Amino acid sequence: TWQVWEQLISLSLRSAYPPSSVVLQSQYKLGTRAVGGAVKDLHVYPDAIVALNGTEDARKIIVDAKYKGHVERGSTAISNADVYEALAFARATGISEAILAYPRPIEGIPSARDEVGHAQEFSRVVADGVVVRAIELGVCGISRRNGLKRFSEALAGAL
């Protein structure tokens, strides 16, 4: 299911922004590692990088789709592992802002916050000049008329 969530985030970004503004799963060099006497490049692959106004000097944001996380841990904080991964992406890309996108869990009776089109930041970390924001996105009703469009707009609005 994590692959479906990642594809939904990618599709939604491509829907909300011009294709030239969204780079998906590209390789970025983070550093090198020594393996058996040989030095090899160490790469990272952020899910997406979005240029918000589509120009070369645009504000860019790393977007990382997170399927599991804060709810399963019973926490509303970003895990250290997710912070470290976002920092690695930031260092490799030179981008100082990252969004971690989680599906909003439905607990009991669905509320307006569970509905597609809802996006809310629930945690923020600032480390080494990098801002990492965690958002949750409502998905209940995504299969209804204009559901995907509402989801895409909510995600874009959260960036």
Side-chain angles (χ1 to χ4, degrees), residues 100-147:
L100 308 180
Y102 296 85
R104 167 123 176 99
I106 299 172
E107 301 169 8
I109 301 171
S111 70
R113 295 185 322 160
D114 301 324
E115 286 291 321
V116 68
H118 173 82
Q120 179 178 347
E121 181 179 316
F122 67 86
S123 186
R124 177 185 296 235
V125 171
V126 179
D128 198 26
V130 176
V131 177
V132 181
R133 296 186 301 132
I135 62 169
E136 56 184 14
L137 297 153
V139 294
C140 188
I142 197 164
S143 64
R144 292 187 201 132
R145 183 179 178 101
N146 292 320

Side-chain angles (χ1 to χ4, degrees), residues 144-157:
R144 292 187 201 132
R145 183 179 178 101
N146 292 320
L148 182 58
K149 181 180 181 198
R150 290 178 59 207
F151 183 89
S152 299
E153 290 170 349
L155 175 57

Side-chain angles (χ1 to χ4, degrees), residues 35-83:
V35 179
V39 177
K40 297 185 177 189
D41 288 343
L42 174 63
H43 296 102
V44 294
Y45 301 84
D47 291 335
I49 294 178
V50 179
L52 292 185
N53 71 5
T55 65
E56 191 64 31
D57 59 343
R59 177 175 153 225
K60 294 180 180 173
I61 298 177
I62 299 161
V63 179
D64 194 25
K66 296 292 183 185
Y67 183 72
K68 291 186 175 181
H70 71 290
V71 173
E72 288 80 7
R73 292 187 313 269
S75 171
T76 56
I78 303 169
S79 74
N80 286 346
D82 288 346
V83 171

